[in-house]
Amino acid sequence: FQRSNSGNGIMNTTFIIPRPATVTPPADMHYDFCKLKPLSTKEALEEQRLLDSIAWPETPSLPSPLSLSSTSHPAHSAFTILPRWGGGQWHIGDKLEVMIQMHDFQGHLKRSGGDVLLARLHNITLGAGVAGQVLDHLNGSYSAIFTLLWEGNAQVILVHPSEAVTELRRLNTEHPDRVFFKSQFQLGSVTETTTCNVCLRPTQQPVCNYTDLHTNEPWFCYKPKSLSCDTRISNFKGGYKQKISTMEKLFQSGVNLKVAIPPSGVARVNVLPKQNGKVPSSRVGSGPSGYYFQGVWRRLGVTPIHQFNSSSAITQCLKGKTVHMYGDSTMRQWFEYLDAALPDLKAFNMHSQKTIGPLMSLDYKNNILVTYRTHGPPLRSVSVPAIELHYIANELDEVPGGRDTVIVLGIWAHFGTFPIEFFIRRLQTIRRAMVRLLSRAPDTLIVIRTGNPKSLKTFLHASTNSDWYSLQQDKVLRDMFKELNVHLVDAWEMVVAHHLPHELHPQPSIIKNMINVLLSYICPQKGG
């Protein structure tokens, strides 16, 4: 047993794991080789509440060999626009209800829930779109509820059949290490490379413990044979484990993976002007956070979003501001947008990798500083110097804060393959740092970007980046920060509602709208 402190807040420990170690696991946690950080009693209660809140309906068990005959099939399924609640014609402000009935490959009605569905109402001519709220009736039927703001066409997409969710659950239980990471160790001319993860399967091989001393965020690597743990110099994505599933047929593009469900009858709804003095028809209370009209994202019922359509308008908003961005490549995309949009914002060469950072741009004349730094592991990336792997919570603890400081976070895309408990604990750590920041500098502005649906074409895409994983994370994130003085950019709805294809990195027109939301938080009374 050896322990040393590398001097950068990382505890280096070498030890033998004789058997799987469990740390505050729920009763149903089988991935007991994932060494999750311990929780306080309060945190454990919150975690259980969050797990209960995102509990997915029971999904069918999978026979082996698999037959698709009794699984959900979008081509045999259909959706129907229901008549207006209370009768009569549709008016702006009404709630439209679409009934979705799932069938299997044999054309039989499904009798259970658990399918992953996305819905939107759109009008290409008007540049309009709004996400629908999907309700699972647990009997093979679903409702999609839309707020009617204009006439348009309903669209329903089957992301995954319920049977695929069964397999996605199994993969996160039995193979949370299916994306694996590597670290290089070097001393003089001697180099070695070993596998790293938070879910590191126990062997007789010694393990280096790189748990962060300040946040207790865990990370481990198998110890190199001839070098010490202190000689670690880099971290990178090692690859994907193969032959972990016999259920690939559940993830076929164009068959049962992100496929549109056809309408039964008319998919278009005509809408009359809003009726004065009439309460809109509705059987569902909650609604969307916003919608597109003429290609512009607008929020519902809260402070309006201003349009920053010129570099001068953006510069005027950011004048005198320091903007720190932390997170994955979807957050770096925002940094790159501002870098390209502002001609006076000049990149400072920090001799770092462009895809990883740290990155910094400065407009000296207008006193604008924008920075980006990726989050700590897990990180599916090219080789990163180990010393540059900083946890967001530690970074926040170094920020003085104040009325001219803006913190922007986006952390979600690299956590899908892990137990959701790992993501919950990372967010709890970040939230504690936010509370400390807001305590010492209450007028600091904090904005969080949610995750978004992605392009899923193959089993590999779905098994590592499934929208079902992202949806669970999205629900957790919204719940965990709802009591804090922070603002959300609803990337999930902004991608679902838009007519453009889903992509991990949304296309420029969507990013422009996201930046307008961000800038409207920074400058609520300004625009261009």
Side-chain angles (χ1 to χ4, degrees):
F1 180 96
Q2 298 174 332
R3 176 174 293 176
S4 66
N5 191 327
S6 62
N8 61 356
I10 301 295
M11 177 174 62
N12 296 340
T13 307
T14 306
F15 57 92
I16 302 291
I17 304 179
R19 59 184 177 81
T22 59
V23 182
T24 59
D28 62 345
M29 184 191 286
H30 304 297
Y31 32 78
D32 52 4
F33 57 92
C34 293
K35 293 167 282 294
L36 305 182
K37 62 185 291 187
L39 297 180
S40 67
T41 301
K42 183 179 180 180
E43 289 170 333
L45 289 172
E46 178 185 44
E47 180 180 84
Q48 189 56 55
R49 181 184 63 78
L50 288 167
L51 294 175
D52 291 342
S53 72
I54 64 172
W56 199 257
E58 185 177 351
T59 54
S61 57
L62 301 177
S64 184
L66 174 69
S67 169
L68 291 180
S69 59
S70 61
T71 67
S72 301
H73 189 210
H76 281 117
S77 304
F79 71 85
T80 305
I81 294 178
L82 298 182
R84 182 178 185 269
W85 183 249
Q89 293 182 295
W90 295 105
H91 290 264
I92 291 175
D94 285 345
K95 291 292 181 72
L96 174 74
E97 183 173 357
V98 168
M99 181 59 68
I100 306 154
Q101 183 62 62
M102 300 303 298
H103 292 72
D104 63 23
F105 275 72
Q106 302 176 84
H108 299 150
L109 287 170
K110 292 292 294 288
R111 299 297 183 185
S112 60
D115 297 294
V116 185
L117 301 169
L118 295 177
R120 69 184 176 107
L121 188 70
H122 64 107
N123 185 320
I124 297 294
T125 303
L126 296 176
V130 65
Q133 176 191 7
V134 177
L135 306 176
D136 188 342
H137 300 298
L138 307 179
N139 59 4
S141 67
Y142 303 77
S143 294
I145 312 298
F146 303 94
T147 299
L148 281 180
L149 302 166
W150 16 256
E151 63 185 21
N153 293 289
Q155 183 183 41
V156 179
I157 296 174
L158 175 71
V159 179
H160 293 300
S162 57
E163 293 80 9
V165 174
T166 301
E167 182 64 358
L168 291 171
R169 280 172 158 161
R170 186 192 71 82
L171 289 171
N172 267 21
T173 298
E174 298 180 11
H175 298 282
D177 56 345
R178 60 192 178 278
V179 177
F180 59 93
F181 306 86
K182 297 279 189 177
S183 272
Q184 187 178 47
F185 298 76
Q186 180 176 327
L187 183 63
S189 60
V190 179
T191 62
E192 293 185 58
T193 300
T194 71
T195 298
C196 305
N197 214 314
V198 70
C199 299
L200 206 58
R201 294 177 186 263
T203 67
Q204 289 304 306
Q205 188 175 352
V207 171
C208 295
N209 181 357
Y210 296 105
T211 297
D212 184 76
L213 287 175
H214 303 293
T215 64
N216 283 327
E217 292 293 344
W219 195 251
F220 305 91
C221 298
Y222 290 122
K223 184 186 180 298
K225 292 180 180 178
S226 61
L227 297 176
S228 73
C229 294
D230 292 331
T231 61
R232 176 174 177 246
I233 62 170
S234 66
N235 182 84
F236 56 95
K237 184 182 75 175
Y240 303 93
K241 290 194 172 183
Q242 305 297 318
K243 299 180 180 179
I244 59 173
S245 176
T246 59
M247 304 294 169
E248 289 91 343
K249 288 191 293 186
L250 291 170
F251 304 91
Q252 298 181 72
S253 179
V255 178
N256 52 14
L257 177 62
K258 279 216 157 177
V259 178
I261 293 175
S264 174
V266 179
R268 186 174 181 83
V269 58
N270 295 315
V271 183
L272 297 177
K274 188 172 184 178
Q275 291 177 297
N276 292 330
K278 292 289 187 75
V279 177
S281 68
S282 174
R283 284 183 279 187
V284 178
S286 61
S289 65
Y291 62 95
Y292 287 103
F293 187 72
Q294 297 179 340
V296 173
W297 182 255
R298 304 159 191 259
R299 280 199 296 255
L300 279 171
V302 290
T303 306
I305 298 170
H306 300 292
Q307 301 305 301
F308 297 80
N309 293 323
S310 65
S311 59
S312 60
I314 299 175
T315 298
Q316 188 61 34
C317 174
L318 295 180
K319 193 170 185 178
K321 301 291 185 184
T322 296
V323 182
H324 294 302
M325 297 184 174
Y326 306 103
D328 53 43
S329 58
T330 63
M331 182 52 51
R332 189 190 74 234
Q333 192 179 15
W334 286 17
F335 177 92
E336 292 169 345
Y337 180 94
L338 291 176
D339 224 25
L342 301 179
D344 293 329
L345 193 64
K346 305 297 183 182
F348 182 84
N349 186 0
M350 301 186 71
H351 304 285
S352 58
Q353 292 196 36
K354 184 179 178 182
T355 57
I356 300 299
L359 305 176
M360 177 186 296
S361 290
L362 175 66
D363 179 345
Y364 183 80
K365 176 183 176 182
N366 292 290
N367 194 26
I368 300 172
L369 175 65
V370 184
T371 70
Y372 165 77
R373 180 180 282 278
T374 189
H375 62 72
L379 195 65
R380 305 175 202 168
S381 69
V382 296
S383 183
V384 184
I387 200 169
E388 292 290 2
L389 293 173
H390 294 200
Y391 290 99
I392 291 176
N394 288 340
E395 290 295 301
L396 294 179
D397 281 339
E398 297 298 320
V399 175
R403 62 187 299 271
D404 294 321
T405 300
V406 181
I407 303 294
V408 192
L409 306 181
I411 177 170
W412 61 282
H414 296 258
F415 288 79
T417 56
F418 294 94
I420 190 67
E421 292 88 345
F422 182 47
F423 184 65
I424 290 173
R425 293 164 197 225
R426 180 63 60 88
L427 293 187
Q428 286 176 328
T429 301
I430 292 172
R431 188 180 58 188
R432 285 196 297 271
M434 284 184 182
V435 170
R436 291 191 291 269
L437 172 57
L438 292 173
S439 294
R440 66 178 177 270
D443 46 1
T444 305
L445 178 67
I446 301 178
V447 180
I448 302 176
R449 181 203 192 279
T450 73
N452 58 262
K454 300 169 291 297
S455 172
L456 303 175
K457 301 290 187 184
T458 66
F459 168 73
L460 179 61
H461 292 154
S463 64
T464 56
N465 289 301
S466 169
D467 289 345
W468 183 69
Y469 295 140
S470 301
L471 180 61
Q472 303 292 85
Q473 294 171 340
D474 185 72
K475 292 177 180 177
V476 165
L477 183 144
R478 292 170 192 269
D479 188 290
M480 287 191 64
F481 291 100
K482 65 184 180 183
E483 302 298 331
L484 217 57
N485 184 24
V486 301
H487 303 276
L488 290 184
V489 176
D490 197 337
W492 185 270
E493 283 199 12
M494 294 180 77
V495 170
V496 171
H498 206 281
H499 67 85
L500 286 172
H502 299 170
E503 300 289 348
L504 171 62
H505 301 106
Q507 295 189 33
S509 59
I510 300 177
I511 296 300
K512 180 182 186 300
N513 278 288
M514 291 181 181
I515 295 296
N516 279 335
V517 177
L518 169 65
L519 295 173
S520 294
Y521 286 134
I522 299 172
C523 307
Q525 304 302 323
K526 300 176 182 179

